[in-house]
Amino acid sequence: YCIMVESTVFQHLETTLQEFLMPLGFEVWPFKVGWYNAVLHSTFYLPYPEDTLAFIVLSAPQMFEKAFKPFLQKKLFKNVKDPIDECVSHYFTVLKQNLKDLNVDIIYDHELQPNRKPKVLVQTAAHVAGAAYYYQRKDVKNDPWGEKKIYGVCIHPRYGGWFAMRGVLIFPDILVPSLEQKDPVDCLSSDNKIIQVLENFNFHWQDWTYRDIVDVEERYSEEQKKYFSTPPKERLPLLEQMVDLKECPSY
């Protein structure tokens, strides 16, 4: 069964999520499933009523210090495929346990359907929630790329490209028909800027420049940049440098 909630109940839930996630370096933004489904092909629909409440969770630059490093200190991570994904999963699981009275479905950014398509398009979710503007090829008036495949990119008004979308929290029993949609901040004022960010993201992503397409309040630390630019198989020595392994449990 579903319950339609009053704005005070919704605000209490949003505050609860923020109070848990923000000190860890995450942001949460609410959206209705219907907003998300309305802009996508049916193969990507989230299978819930259109007024169902959901939240997109972003990691800001400080997540690395506030959530990832403490997570590493407490966990043996040598056999973990992707420690960042494992870290996000850990905190989301704790959050879910804290919300014990509420039914919540979690979909992570890296999860795939059986047909290998993503379970959730986090960039679209971020856009419809008003969290970050999803710039795509269709936004460009004078397309210079011809036959090339061009992927879109989200730009955050405060962090530019120095952030990541980690997943969505869906509350199947909570309907919010009166939730008002807020447009994301369109940070890029010209066609040339949109072309530049898509060009840099698609063809020069390793030099980080697309992330600085706007003035930003905060960016990844040098340590964080080094971690993300190192191939996953070679990250273990970096992890060992970051944390004192003597403090890790030896199970």
Side-chain angles (χ1 to χ4, degrees):
Y1 69 98
C2 295
I3 51 168
M4 292 195 189
V5 301
E6 297 169 16
S7 58
T8 50
V9 178
F10 158 70
Q11 284 160 0
H12 175 71
L13 174 57
E14 184 177 36
T15 301
T16 301
L17 298 182
Q18 288 172 340
E19 286 176 350
F20 179 82
L21 290 168
M22 286 176 71
L24 295 166
F26 295 101
E27 287 186 2
V28 284
W29 295 74
F31 66 97
K32 291 203 281 188
V33 165
W35 303 345
Y36 174 90
N37 288 349
V39 295
L40 292 172
H41 188 273
S42 59
T43 53
F44 289 108
Y45 283 0
L46 294 172
Y48 303 87
E50 62 177 28
D51 286 331
T52 304
L53 175 64
F55 292 85
I56 175 80
V57 183
L58 317 178
S59 60
Q62 61 266 31
M63 187 277 278
F64 200 77
E65 288 290 334
K66 291 181 175 178
F68 187 51
K69 283 188 171 180
F71 167 78
L72 293 179
Q73 289 283 14
K74 293 173 190 165
K75 194 172 179 75
L76 189 70
F77 54 85
K78 283 193 175 187
N79 298 319
V80 172
K81 196 165 79 173
D82 188 326
I84 288 276
D85 288 346
E86 189 83 0
C87 166
V88 172
S89 174
H90 166 75
Y91 290 112
F92 281 21
T93 301
V94 174
L95 174 63
K96 186 171 183 172
Q97 289 164 352
N98 291 353
L99 298 170
K100 52 186 178 293
D101 297 333
L102 290 173
N103 183 15
V104 54
D105 293 342
I106 300 171
I107 309 176
Y108 297 100
D109 63 303
H110 52 81
E111 287 190 76
L112 300 175
Q113 301 179 44
N115 63 8
R116 309 299 294 165
K117 290 183 187 294
K119 277 193 178 180
V120 64
L121 299 176
V122 285
Q123 291 146 309
T124 300
H127 187 97
V128 299
Y133 202 103
Y134 183 29
Y135 291 98
Q136 299 176 76
R137 186 174 193 162
K138 63 184 176 60
D139 298 318
V140 174
K141 297 181 185 72
N142 300 301
D143 187 320
W145 295 295
E147 296 296 308
K148 290 178 183 171
K149 172 83 173 166
I150 300 295
Y151 293 96
V153 62
C154 273
I155 298 297
H156 190 286
R158 291 167 54 216
Y159 305 124
W162 300 101
F163 78 105
M165 291 141 288
R166 298 299 177 183
V168 297
L169 311 174
I170 302 167
F171 292 84
D173 301 335
I174 300 180
L175 302 180
V176 282
S178 59
L179 187 64
E180 290 186 16
Q181 189 167 10
K182 293 171 185 164
D183 290 331
V185 178
D186 183 356
C187 320
L188 306 184
S189 50
S190 69
D191 210 41
N192 285 342
K193 278 275 189 190
I194 300 172
I195 290 170
Q196 184 186 342
V197 78
L198 291 174
E199 184 81 16
N200 289 352
F201 177 68
N202 280 272
F203 305 115
H204 312 287
W205 58 269
Q206 287 159 308
D207 68 9
W208 308 94
T209 52
Y210 83 86
R211 299 177 188 265
D212 280 320
I213 193 72
V214 293
D215 292 332
V216 298
E217 287 180 19
E218 197 175 348
R219 49 175 64 86
Y220 292 174
S221 64
E222 289 305 311
E223 183 180 49
Q224 192 171 174
K225 285 163 71 175
K226 186 178 179 183
Y227 176 81
F228 285 121
S229 57
T230 301
K233 288 179 183 173
E234 297 166 26
R235 286 176 180 167
L236 186 60
L238 289 179
L239 295 174
E240 290 170 341
Q241 286 168 25
M242 272 186 239
V243 297
D244 183 355
L245 278 182
K246 291 175 193 158
E247 292 182 28
C248 284
S250 57
Y251 55 82

